[in-house]
Amino acid sequence: MTRVGGRNERHVNFRLIRSIEQNFIEKKGLKETLEEVERKLLLKAYNECQTTYEMAKYLGISQPTVIYKLKKYKDDFKNL
């Protein structure tokens, strides 16, 4: 099991699943739920990685996609 930020990946994934379940309980739609999960994964990568290239590798997406998503959620990253 790989360690991530002092917690193992299983624990992090469990928290994401709980978040998804909570969104459906609160009657949030699929789009809002997917955006929330995407933001959380992007934030996790942002905290773990030094560069957008590392973030891309960590997330399994291209570096331009990382840049696009950082711009999309720029308000979530202003205070970091």
Side-chain angles (χ1 to χ4, degrees):
M1 182 79 43
T2 307
R3 304 276 306 166
V4 178
R7 297 178 182 195
N8 63 44
E9 288 181 12
R10 178 185 284 171
H11 181 73
V12 172
N13 292 338
F14 177 75
R15 287 180 35 213
L16 284 172
I17 291 168
R18 278 192 18 201
S19 174
I20 292 167
E21 290 171 344
Q22 187 63 34
N23 280 350
F24 281 106
I25 290 169
E26 294 172 3
K27 304 283 191 228
K28 291 185 181 178
L30 180 61
K31 181 178 178 182
E32 293 86 5
T33 299
L34 291 175
E35 286 177 348
E36 182 177 326
V37 170
E38 184 176 68
R39 271 194 307 273
K40 287 180 180 182
L41 289 171
L42 196 60
L43 182 60
K44 182 174 175 262
Y46 184 85
N47 289 326
E48 294 289 323
C49 301
Q50 301 280 328
T51 67
T52 56
Y53 291 102
E54 287 180 20
M55 289 177 69
K57 185 174 180 179
Y58 184 86
L59 294 168
I61 59 177
S62 70
Q63 191 266 350
T65 300
V66 170
I67 298 296
Y68 169 79
K69 292 183 182 302
L70 287 172
K71 287 179 182 178
K72 180 179 177 181
Y73 300 116
K74 65 181 178 246
D75 293 337
D76 295 334
F77 295 90
K78 279 185 179 178
N79 298 325
L80 299 177

